[in-house]
Amino acid sequence: MSTPSKLRNDCFALPAGVHWTPVSEALDLLEQRLQCCVPVETCAVEASDGRILAHAVVAARSHPPCPNSAVDGYAFSGGLEAGSHSMELREGRSAAGVAFTGRLVPGQALRILTGAALPDGADTVVLQEDVRMEVGQLHVIGPLRAGANARAAGEDMQEGAEIFQAGHQLRPEDLGVMAAAGLGEIAVFKLLKVAVISTGAELRAPGQAARVDQIFDANRPMLCALLRRWGMEVVDIGIVPDEAAAVRAALDQAAERADVILTSGGASAGDEDHMSAVLRAGGGMALWRIAVKPGRPLALGVWGGVPVFGLPGNPVAAFVCTLIFARPALLQLAGAGFQMPKALHLPAAFSKSKKAGRREYLRARLRDGAVEVFASEGSGRVSGLSWAEGLVELPDAAAEILPGQTVCFLPYASFGLP
């Protein structure tokens, strides 16, 4: 498969006159303008956890491949009416992987173990604890329906049936399903490579010495970990100073090594916001002023044909914008489609008066069946991210939230996080 084409420089341009873009409109635009940007490769089923299917997967054979026993017992033909019954006990047995090669005739029974193929002429199994044995004879008390304790061939999966759709991101349990269906290799998209860049003269790497006027780079470790959780390959470019030449060099390096670039800091329009300035000078940048809290500015651009997502520098805003905007866009680029989080509608355990104009996301968690929010809405309180178990999404319109009122809760699990 050929490598997908690069993006145009103007692909993120907003319609004339747009100043503040609603969240839903921004998401619609991202879905419309982005497409899968990675080629297809073959992958062994055993190594495919987290990979995204490039084509639908169909069962290579039926599961189970033949009728078999669900219990340890005795196989025979047909059901039994109420009352006492006797059957001739054939010599031998059928065990898993060692099938009986003969054929039973009506009135005969054969010892069979769990998972063993039913012998020809048998369709029913009686549990071993429900029989009485005599020399060469098996005594059973009915009734017992025909087909009891037996599994039909293909009752789980039929050969040729689709078991997963293209775009599905595989989980450990899916590997078991594919293996059971006789698959050894599958077609998947190559891992999306995402370069991560932090900008700011005030930033220091975690663990380094820092002056009181410097801060530690919280964004890069957090963003890299998010990307790995989502099954993407991280290209860590590091911290870049607030200098136009350094920003250009970092973008050049990232575009050479990755399919997407994720930056934090310098995405607004201030004196030291060199990321947006460099992208704008390169002819491929649009500053989307999104009506969202926390966040607002989201710089979207193209550098060397590679899409760039310029996130806010504040860690809380960077985290929220990554979940809400970057994740569905990255999954679209990776071949999994544009995925929105699944919301839970639950009673609030808080009060809030919200003004109209912006969609708001509050750090929240679930306790005793209700949703409580972090004590402070300040986006500088990074500890609230770990306190939380998800986000409460408040609508664009004005709202008066009272305890017990239903709110929209987006658990971290709906964003692919534990």
Side-chain angles (χ1 to χ4, degrees), residues 134-161:
E134 288 184 357
V135 178
Q137 290 290 312
L138 187 74
H139 300 285
V140 185
I141 303 296
L144 186 66
R145 65 174 179 81
N149 303 312
R151 306 183 184 108
E155 71 174 22
D156 184 21
M157 293 177 282
Q158 291 281 345
E159 180 179 348

Side-chain angles (χ1 to χ4, degrees), residues 255-268:
E256 284 290 324
R257 298 174 57 190
D259 305 303
V260 190
I261 303 170
L262 201 63
T263 75
S264 63
S268 191

Side-chain angles (χ1 to χ4, degrees), residues 257-302:
R257 298 174 57 190
D259 305 303
V260 190
I261 303 170
L262 201 63
T263 75
S264 63
S268 191
D271 293 344
E272 297 298 328
D273 289 323
H274 292 289
M275 182 60 68
S276 56
V278 167
L279 287 171
R280 189 179 294 108
M285 186 268 187
L287 187 65
W288 288 16
R289 291 179 173 87
I290 300 176
V292 63
K293 178 183 178 181
R296 291 199 182 190
L298 184 64
L300 295 166
V302 178

Side-chain angles (χ1 to χ4, degrees), residues 198 200-210 214-218 220-221 236 238-239:
S198 287
E202 76 281 14
L203 296 180
R204 300 290 287 167
Q208 289 186 333
Q214 295 176 317
I215 58 173
F216 293 108
D217 180 10
R220 199 163 40 88
D236 189 352
I239 299 171

